[in-house]
């Protein structure tokens, strides 16, 4: 099947405006006749739900946290990109568009990316109007800093807590609609399956995480804004609750999963300290504005950093990528860190770390300025490691962070399943094979505030979904399947916890499908993961009961889905016989370790179709055409 992205034609800088001019509209008095379901309350979910409710639709929002304020978007630190060009340094909508396509190693859809760049300028105005406290220059104008993969300063920020402040803005908008009765909020409620009636997504089956009650909720359309699947690696920068269940259950009901092997390893994380860890902590990429990254020149050099003179330090990013230096894109910077550590020049316990050194910036700008820019990040680092970054360099190492793959969507953000829309990190659409820093917040708010209000209206005006009630046989069937799956997990009387299986599959994924992949390793993973899944089915232990708060049961269901996803990720990585962005196949690299793409065979989106338990999935393709950015070898030197 050749997938159709339904992208507008004509000049790219007018595609979105012409699209908006030509779509069908829903009469204001008719909007309140529609009910929409939003799963997820992070930036994409909260902004989308608030915007749709403001327009007059009835919206129900579901999240597994105790409040929308606890969504993982709160953890984003460094900033949000927008082509405002406040710095007057040459930025433009086209340059943001170009940098994003290039940063994704030419594996994203031009039309979606240009729309993202266009609406980025509106996002900042929206957030300022909501009271988001962006940093400002002395004269009162909003401040900007640089992020990887760009030679301009286009990242707006609020110290090291940008995600938190943006989420508070979206949360306020959402709470306003809850107070007005336009949004009904369901916290501590987890989506466990998707209801599809006559080929249309019409609702979800959920479990109340406090009482254990399983029930169905129906609507005229379903939106998933449930984030990414980085926790497949067990150790990641994601919150422990982040999971793939909502997206994976939609996949099993017919939604195609696109580019699952495209995962991002963030170069700026606190290194692993021991086997006891259950997650990793991100240190914002923004620190690379003022921190120089280096390792000793000599392998096995265990001297303290202050005892290593300048002449015996290797500022390897500045050496290898002089045009971008310490702000080289994440995938390139991560592999460069791994390379120097593999050479025996890593620092800290186990030699799995590199230095991020603020000393030069402190000497040049003063400690007060650095505190103002990064104070909360540095405080967090000091609490975790017991080291003071104002006196000694930070130690960082790459870790699993973001996922560019996700459910396939067209230009309207609708999956191949009619009526199922996917927003933010849960879809695949904007970042190709590698996301540039500060672009996740941009995509989440673009989809929620400025895209879904238009595309949802067009869908409802043209499709007019027929009414469905809770007595429909398909609703009862999905409910029964969820209940049976829950009972099956509880009936297992094995000896291993869900976490032990998660940790085991995470290790396989990190070693065989992490920063680097090769054919032999991927084939080994495709043997190991089914064996882990078989053991999971025989030896899982889930304590407690169904009709109560039961976090072990929650974890068991999520790990079961991770086990299936891991196999698809490895399968996708094996078929994609090229290197591009975060997908680095060791067989395809230049003599100096740079990625080598194969545009002739793989200039497309790979979208996988679930065909049933124990059956081979089917791979579909959407050709990628580059009319406004010419395909080129990606270089940051």
């Amino acid at each position: 099947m050749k997938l159709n992205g339904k992208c507008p034609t004509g000049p790219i800088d007018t595609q979105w405006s012409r699209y908006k001019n030509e779509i069908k509209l829903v009469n204001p008095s008719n909007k309140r006749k529609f009910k929409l379901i939003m799963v997820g309350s992070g930036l994409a979910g909260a902004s989308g739900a608030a915007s749709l409710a403001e327009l007059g639709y009835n919206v129900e929002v579901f999240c597994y946290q105790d409040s929308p304020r606890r969504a993982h978007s709160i953890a984003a630190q460094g900033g949000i990109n927008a082509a405002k060009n406040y710095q007057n340094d040459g930025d433009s909508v086209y340059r943001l568009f170009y940098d994003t396509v290039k940063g994704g190693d030419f594996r994203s859809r031009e039309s979606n990316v240009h729309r993202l760049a266009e609406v980025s300028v509106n996002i900042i105005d929206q957030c300022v109007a909501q009271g988001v406290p962006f940093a400002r220059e002395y004269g009162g104008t909003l401040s900007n800093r640089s992020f990887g993969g760009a030679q301009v300063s286009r990242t707006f920020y609020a110290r090291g807590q940008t995600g938190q402040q943006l989420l508070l803005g979206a949360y306020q908008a959402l709470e306003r609609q809850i107070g007005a009765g336009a949004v009904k909020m369901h916290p501590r409620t987890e989506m466990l399956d998707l209801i599809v009636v006559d080929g249309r997504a019409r609702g979800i089956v959920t479990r109340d995480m406090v009482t254990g009650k399983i029930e169905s909720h129906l609507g005229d359309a379903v939106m998933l804004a449930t984030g990414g699947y980085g926790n497949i690696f067990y150790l990641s920068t994601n919150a422990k609750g982040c999971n793939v269940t909502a997206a994976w259950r939609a996949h099993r009901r017919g939604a195609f999963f696109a580019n699952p092997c495209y995962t991002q390893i963030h170069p700026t994380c606190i290194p692993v300290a021991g086997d006891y860890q259950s997650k990793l902590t991100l240190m914002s990429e923004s620190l690379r504005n003022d921190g120089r990254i280096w390792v000793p020149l000599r392998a096995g050099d265990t001297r303290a950093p202050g005892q290593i003179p300048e002449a015996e330090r290797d500022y390897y990013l500045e050496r290898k990528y002089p045009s971008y230096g310490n702000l080289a894109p994440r995938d390139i910077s991560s592999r460069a860190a791994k390379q120097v550590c593999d050479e025996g020049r890593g620092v800290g316990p186990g030699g799995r770390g590199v230095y991020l050194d603020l000393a030069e910036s402190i000497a040049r700008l003063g400690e007060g300025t650095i505190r103002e820019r990064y104070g909360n990040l540095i405080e967090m680092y000091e609490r975790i490691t017991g080291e003071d970054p104002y006196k000694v360099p930070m130690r960082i190492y790459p870790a699993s962070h973001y996922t560019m793959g996700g459910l396939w969507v067209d230009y309207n953000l609708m999956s191949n399943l009619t009526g199922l829309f996917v927003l933010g990190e849960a879809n695949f659409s904007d970042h190709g094979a590698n996301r540039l820093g500060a672009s996740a917040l941009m995509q989440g708010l673009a989809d929620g505030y400025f895209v879904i209000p238009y595309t949802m209206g067009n869908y409802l005006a043209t499709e007019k979904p027929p009414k469905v009630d809770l007595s429909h046989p398909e609703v009862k069937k999905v409910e029964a399947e969820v209940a049976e799956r829950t009972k099956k997990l509880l009936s297992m009387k094995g000896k291993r916890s869900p976490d032990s299986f998660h940790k085991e599959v995470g290790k396989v994924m990190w070693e065989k499908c992490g920063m680097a992949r090769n054919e032999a390793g991927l084939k080994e993973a495709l043997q190991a993961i089914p064996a882990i899944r078989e053991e999971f089915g025989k030896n899982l232990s889930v304590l407690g009961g169904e009709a109560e708060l039961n976090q072990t049961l929650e974890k068991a269901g999520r790990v079961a889905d991770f086990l299936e996803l891991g196999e698809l990720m490895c399968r996708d990585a094996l078929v994609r016989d090229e290197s591009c962005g975060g997908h680095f196949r060791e067989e395809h690299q230049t003599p100096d370790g740079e990625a080598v793409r194969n545009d002739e065979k793989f200039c497309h989106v790979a979208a996988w179709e679930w065909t049933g338990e124990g059956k081979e999935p089917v791979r579909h393709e959407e050709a990628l055409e580059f009319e406004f950015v010419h395909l080129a070898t990606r270089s940051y030197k």
Side-chain angles (χ1 to χ4, degrees), residues 432-447:
N434 174 63
R435 178 177 68 80
L436 293 182
S439 288
L441 304 183
M442 176 173 63
Q443 185 202 355
L445 292 181
D447 287 354

Side-chain angles (χ1 to χ4, degrees), residues 102-123:
K102 177 185 175 183
D105 217 349
F106 302 90
R107 290 293 178 264
S108 53
R109 224 191 252 144
E110 278 191 328
S111 295
N112 285 68
V113 177
H114 197 279
R115 177 175 65 187
L116 177 65
E118 281 183 68
V119 303
S120 71
V121 298
N122 305 118
I123 294 170

Side-chain angles (χ1 to χ4, degrees), residues 380-557:
M380 181 165 58
Y381 179 90
E382 187 172 4
R383 286 185 177 184
I384 292 171
T385 66
E387 299 172 358
D388 183 355
Y390 296 112
K391 296 177 181 177
V392 296
M394 289 180 169
R395 289 178 294 106
I396 58 170
Y397 193 70
S400 167
H401 179 55
Y402 188 88
T403 52
M404 287 74 66
L407 293 182
W408 184 89
V409 293
D410 62 18
Y411 190 73
N412 302 298
L413 302 185
M414 188 163 74
S415 76
N416 61 293
L417 262 181
T418 303
L420 178 66
F421 293 80
V422 191
L423 288 67
E425 189 181 358
N427 76 38
F428 88 100
S429 65
D430 291 5
H431 305 297
N434 174 63
R435 178 177 68 80
L436 293 182
S439 288
L441 304 183
M442 176 173 63
Q443 185 202 355
L445 292 181
D447 287 354
Y449 282 138
F450 298 108
V451 179
I452 196 65
Y454 290 98
T455 62
M456 179 60 75
N458 185 55
Y459 168 71
L460 296 173
T462 54
E463 296 289 337
K464 296 182 175 59
K467 295 300 178 185
V468 175
D469 60 38
L470 293 173
S471 65
H472 193 283
E474 191 62 31
V475 177
K476 295 299 182 184
K477 174 174 172 275
V478 178
E479 256 186 37
E481 289 176 0
V482 169
E484 179 61 30
R485 198 159 61 238
T486 302
K487 285 184 172 61
K488 183 178 178 181
L489 291 172
L490 287 165
S491 68
M492 296 181 187
K493 303 299 180 185
K495 298 180 179 180
R496 291 184 57 181
S497 69
D499 279 338
S500 72
F501 286 103
H502 192 180
K503 193 170 186 178
E504 185 178 0
V505 73
K507 184 177 181 181
V508 171
M509 293 300 297
W510 179 252
E511 292 179 351
K512 307 300 181 183
C513 196
M515 257 193 289
R517 301 100 186 258
N518 59 57
E519 182 179 1
L522 290 167
K523 287 181 176 178
E524 288 173 16
L526 287 169
Q527 294 292 320
I529 295 171
I532 298 171
R533 193 163 65 244
E534 184 178 355
E535 171 73 5
F536 180 88
K538 295 177 179 177
N539 204 16
L540 174 68
S541 172
V542 179
L543 303 177
E546 178 183 354
E548 62 183 2
L549 176 66
N550 190 337
Q551 291 186 308
T552 307
L553 175 61
E554 295 163 21
K555 290 178 182 178

Side-chain angles (χ1 to χ4, degrees), residues 317-328:
L317 288 177
E318 298 172 27
R319 170 174 57 81
K320 295 179 70 173
Y321 309 104
S323 293
Y324 287 77
N326 297 301
L327 287 170

